[in-house]
């Protein structure tokens, strides 16, 4: 799960620039509309993002190969979700057999969304991910959708997610060390530890892309080894190599299923968040080597392998733990480890591995978030693109973009008081993204119709799966306003269920204010064509030769 993770006490056993660098895929150019004010405004601060002309290219090195791209995906997808979510899902739907079907369906649909993103990434192989995709799919009115997404994610969702994750990772290490008193009463100590670790990860992100990728690879390996231990045990149980405790989990079949509309909505929300995170590689696609091969392959392989492992993990859990013994206040994987390998694995090793897993998510969020902020400035959606788009001449990293993500994360880390305010922040991070995922998936269909013979479309995703993913994503966004099903054994939250999605929608609506100020008032005043790059980029690609396409795709 790439979203936000529950505190341990509830989870463990008690490129393009329309700003300073307006450049094309193969060259560089700046386009200004005729304006008497444009020349005068060029004397304004060079930090404003639409003034200086042209750099020849994005400046970021292509350091990301197939393994690192897969690690970025795994680093964001695999968190604590697969170790805890299966328990909630099975309690919501009533039987492990039904839960397994829902895991399969959600995995296939999520794969469709990921492959749709791969198609868009090969079409527009620069950093920025969904910001670029939405700008090309919905350029009118004045890239409203992409602008709202740029402000929502760069200034709120991503830094708040970093803060929420880094605030609780230390809980798992204290639990593994047997120091549970630090979990219950030292909230700001945990936040302080998180701030120190986040700063260390920031420094690494700034000084070395290569070592940042190596650390991401290490985190991904730890996640996969932990998941493989659980999943391989499930495989051995399936083939009879390990004797399992006789029970009624699988023999009951679908008897006892109680999947009403509320339960289905709550279960699917949890399931899709367990698969979420594959979009992170889109934010760094401009640094992926041989993008036409490595982007679709990394997304397809990572999601397919995780699908198999997730299914086997569910088989393992419910072959060992009877349905009646599932404690929703306990990490399901910890119960499993206790029964199969003993309490040391369940209460020491597993919590430490989950803590490392969450650190991997933080590292992935910082790495991708810095590129996201960098792209938001380079494409002109936010001001001061000259600063945000600056690449350090020695380190080759977007220093100022990373620093701003870090600074915003610190604000979200320390500003909310403990308790309900911080919990609400955790919930808010997840709201709104469903609509952007839906619009991105529908964008695959829109661009198939509008640009049917786009030379850089070197990969074609199953468009019907992208459509289904879009429909379900939009439905999940709307269903956040529907009363959730109550999970047996779990306390009902004191904050109204509709507050987080309502605030999320209101925040997105407020992002229309900077859109107006930036795309209408600023443009009309200065004559700078902030969005000319969208059409220019498409026209340039449409005129490419086969040799040009090979050059860009390398």
């Amino acid at each position: 799960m790439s979203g936000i993770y529950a505190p341990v006490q509830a989870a463990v056993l008690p490129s393009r620039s329309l700003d300073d660098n307006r450049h094309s895929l193969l060259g560089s150019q700046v386009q200004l509309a005729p304006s008497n004010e444009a020349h005068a405004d060029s004397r304004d601060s060079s930090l404003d993002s639409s003034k200086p002309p042209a750099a020849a290219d994005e400046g970021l090195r292509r350091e990301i190969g197939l393994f690192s791209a897969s690690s970025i995906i795994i680093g964001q997808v695999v968190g604590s979700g697969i170790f805890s979510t299966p328990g909630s899902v099975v309690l919501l739907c009533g039987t492990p057999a039904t839960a397994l079907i829902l895991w399969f369906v959600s995995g296939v649909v999520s794969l469709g969304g990921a492959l749709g993103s791969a198609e868009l990434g090969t079409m527009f192989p620069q950093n920025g991910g969904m910001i670029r995709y939405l700008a090309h799919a919905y350029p009118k009115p004045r890239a409203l959708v992409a602008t709202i997404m740029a402000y929502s994610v760069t200034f709120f969702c991503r830094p708040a997610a970093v803060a929420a994750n880094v605030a609780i990772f230390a809980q798992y290490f204290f639990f593994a060390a047997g120091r549970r008193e630090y979990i219950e009463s030292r909230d700001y100590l945990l936040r302080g530890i998180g701030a120190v670790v986040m700063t260390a990860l920031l420094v690494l992100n700034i000084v070395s892309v290569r070592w940042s990728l190596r650390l991401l690879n290490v985190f991904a390996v730890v996640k996969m080894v932990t998941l493989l231990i659980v999943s391989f045990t499930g495989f051995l149980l399936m083939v009879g190599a390990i004797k399992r405790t006789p029970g009624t989990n699988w023999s009951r079949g679908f008897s006892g299923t109680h999947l009403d509309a509320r339960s289905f909505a709550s279960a699917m929300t949890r399931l899709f968040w367990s698969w979420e995170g594959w979009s992170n590689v889109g934010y760094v696609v401009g640094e992926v080597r041989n993008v036409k091969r490595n982007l679709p392959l990394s997304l397809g392989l990572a999601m397919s392998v995780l699908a198999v492992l997730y299914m086997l993990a569910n088989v393992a859990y419910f072959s060992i733990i009877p349905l009646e013994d599932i404690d929703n206040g306990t990490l399901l994987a910890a119960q499993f480890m206790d029964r199969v390998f003993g309490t040391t694995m369940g209460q020491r090793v597993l919590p430490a591995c989950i803590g490392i897993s969450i650190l991997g998510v933080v590292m992935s969020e910082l790495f991708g978030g810095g590129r996201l902020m960098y792209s938001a400035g380079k494409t002109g959606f936010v001001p001061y693109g000259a600063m945000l788009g600056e690449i350090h001449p020695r380190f080759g990293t977007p220093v100022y973009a990373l620093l701003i993500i870090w600074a915003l994360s610190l604000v979200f880390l320390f500003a909310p008081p403990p308790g309900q305010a911080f919990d609400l922040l955790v919930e808010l991070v997840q709201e709104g993204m469903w609509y952007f995922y839906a619009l991105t998936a529908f964008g695959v269909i829109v661009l198939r119709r509008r640009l049917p013979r786009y030379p850089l479309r070197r990969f074609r995703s199953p468009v019907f799966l992208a459509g289904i993913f879009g429909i379900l994503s939009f439905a999940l966004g709307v269903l956040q306003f529907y009363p959730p099903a109550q999970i047996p054994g779990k306390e009902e939250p004191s904050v109204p269920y509709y507050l987080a999605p309502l605030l999320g929608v209101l925040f997105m609506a407020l992002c229309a204010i900077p859109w107006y100020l930036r795309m209408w008032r600023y443009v009309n005043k200065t004559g700078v064509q902030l969005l000319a790059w969208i059409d220019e980029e498409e026209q340039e690609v449409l005129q490419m030769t086969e040799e040009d396409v090979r050059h860009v795709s390398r």
Side-chain angles (χ1 to χ4, degrees):
M1 178 177 177
S2 71
I4 312 304
Y5 310 110
V8 70
Q9 63 264 35
V12 187
L13 288 167
S15 103
R16 248 345 157 124
S17 180
L18 11 154
D19 298 297
D20 56 315
N21 291 323
R22 166 159 324 262
H23 63 276
S24 66
L25 288 168
L26 298 175
S28 62
Q29 56 186 334
V30 177
Q31 178 173 332
L32 299 180
S35 170
N36 293 330
E37 297 173 325
H39 179 69
D41 279 315
S42 68
R43 294 191 297 268
D44 293 349
S45 169
S46 63
L47 284 178
D48 196 331
S49 63
S50 306
K51 306 299 192 297
D57 90 12
E58 207 162 40
L60 292 166
R61 307 183 192 105
R62 291 187 181 272
E63 300 270 8
I64 302 174
L66 176 60
F67 186 78
S68 293
S70 301
S71 295
I72 290 170
I73 298 163
I74 293 168
Q76 193 82 359
V77 174
V78 181
S80 66
I82 187 57
F83 304 114
S84 58
T85 300
S88 299
V89 172
V90 77
L91 290 174
L92 283 166
C93 64
T95 61
T98 305
L100 205 60
I101 291 175
L102 293 182
W103 275 98
F104 176 78
V105 171
S106 63
V108 171
V109 174
S110 296
L111 177 62
L115 293 179
S117 178
E119 176 176 332
L120 296 174
T122 59
M123 291 176 67
F124 312 110
Q126 301 93 16
N127 284 355
M130 286 195 290
I131 291 179
R132 284 187 178 275
Y133 309 157
L134 293 172
H136 282 282
Y138 313 103
K140 296 179 181 180
R142 298 201 181 184
L144 171 64
V145 174
T147 306
I148 289 177
M149 193 265 182
Y151 280 92
S152 297
V153 177
T154 55
F155 291 100
F156 180 71
C157 292
R158 180 53 61 103
V162 172
N165 283 322
V166 82
I168 57 99
F169 90 93
Q171 295 182 10
Y172 289 91
F173 290 103
F174 280 126
F175 187 93
R179 305 301 298 268
R180 303 184 189 186
E181 67 274 13
Y182 287 95
I183 300 172
E184 299 171 356
S185 60
R186 306 289 180 88
D187 182 81
Y188 280 101
L189 172 64
L190 297 174
R191 298 194 203 191
I193 294 172
V196 171
V197 172
M198 181 175 66
T199 303
L201 294 177
L202 168 78
V203 171
L204 181 60
N205 269 282
I206 287 176
V207 301
S208 177
V209 174
R210 188 163 297 176
W211 279 101
S212 297
L213 291 172
R214 287 171 179 168
L215 183 58
L216 281 168
N217 292 343
V218 170
F219 283 136
V221 169
V222 172
K223 293 167 185 275
M224 292 302 290
V225 169
T226 306
L227 189 53
L228 277 168
I229 291 173
V230 176
S231 302
F232 188 64
T233 305
F235 173 76
L236 294 177
L237 288 162
M238 285 180 62
V239 299
I242 296 178
K243 291 185 178 180
R244 60 186 176 90
T245 305
T248 59
N249 277 355
W250 301 114
S251 60
R252 74 175 72 200
F254 297 99
S255 177
T257 298
H258 48 75
L259 202 60
D260 56 24
R262 292 176 63 187
S263 298
F264 178 77
S266 298
M268 294 305 286
T269 298
R270 287 166 171 77
L271 287 167
F272 273 94
W273 271 115
S274 294
W275 295 108
E276 196 273 341
W278 42 262
S279 61
N280 201 48
V281 74
Y283 302 141
V284 302
V285 72
E287 298 168 69
V288 175
R289 296 194 299 266
N290 194 3
V291 66
K292 70 176 182 181
R293 170 185 177 270
N294 287 336
L295 182 62
L297 196 56
S298 62
L299 281 163
L301 281 176
M303 294 298 287
S304 298
V305 169
L306 289 176
V308 173
L309 295 180
Y310 277 20
M311 297 291 287
L312 289 174
N314 275 269
V315 171
Y317 294 147
F318 301 123
S319 294
I320 295 295
I321 305 170
L323 188 61
E324 294 76 13
D325 291 348
I326 293 176
D327 178 5
N328 190 60
T330 298
L331 196 69
L332 185 64
Q335 288 182 273
F336 172 81
M337 290 288 195
D338 274 352
R339 296 195 181 204
V340 176
F341 301 107
T343 56
T344 299
M345 285 290 289
Q347 300 187 40
R348 304 287 185 184
V349 176
L350 182 67
C353 288
I354 293 176
I356 293 172
S357 180
I358 295 174
L359 267 184
V361 174
V362 173
M363 181 64 181
S364 183
E365 287 172 336
L366 282 173
F367 189 87
R371 274 68 180 174
L372 186 62
M373 180 70 75
Y374 160 88
S375 299
K378 293 279 285 184
T379 49
F381 291 115
V382 301
Y384 301 103
M387 179 185 70
L388 292 174
E390 184 173 333
I391 302 299
H392 194 281
R394 178 181 175 187
F395 302 136
T397 55
V399 177
Y400 292 111
L402 284 164
L403 285 171
I404 291 174
I405 287 288
W406 169 80
L408 289 171
S409 299
L410 283 179
V411 171
F412 286 116
L413 181 61
F414 287 106
Q420 293 182 4
F422 195 84
D423 293 341
L424 182 61
L425 173 66
V426 169
E427 293 294 326
L428 271 172
V429 170
Q430 302 177 4
E431 304 301 335
M433 288 304 297
W434 295 120
Y435 305 110
F436 296 128
Y437 283 129
L439 289 169
T440 302
F442 294 144
V444 176
I445 302 171
V446 170
L447 291 170
R448 286 275 187 97
R449 294 177 64 87
R450 190 166 68 81
L451 300 171
R453 293 179 178 84
Y454 200 69
L456 286 184
R457 187 188 280 115
R458 306 307 293 268
F459 171 78
R460 299 177 73 89
S461 62
V463 71
F464 70 95
L465 274 182
I468 293 173
F469 176 79
I471 293 170
L472 282 178
S473 294
F474 185 80
L476 288 171
V478 174
L479 285 172
Q480 303 309 301
F481 293 94
Y482 191 68
Q486 183 64 29
I487 302 175
K490 185 175 181 179
E491 294 183 6
E492 189 171 347
S494 55
V495 178
Y497 68 88
Y498 55 81
L499 183 59
L502 178 61
L503 290 176
V505 171
L506 289 176
F507 181 83
M508 288 191 294
L510 288 174
C511 290
I513 296 174
W515 167 75
Y516 168 75
L517 294 175
R518 183 73 174 155
M519 299 302 174
W520 289 89
R521 187 173 179 179
Y522 176 80
V523 168
N524 293 341
K525 178 182 177 181
T526 64
V528 177
Q529 296 299 295
L530 291 177
L531 300 175
W533 64 273
I534 299 173
D535 184 64
E536 290 171 1
E537 190 172 274
E538 293 174 3
Q539 293 305 315
E540 181 186 6
V541 171
L542 290 171
Q543 297 170 23
M544 280 183 175
T545 65
E546 188 63 29
E547 180 60 31
D548 292 334
V549 172
R550 285 196 296 268
H551 173 77
V552 172
S553 300
R554 282 201 295 267

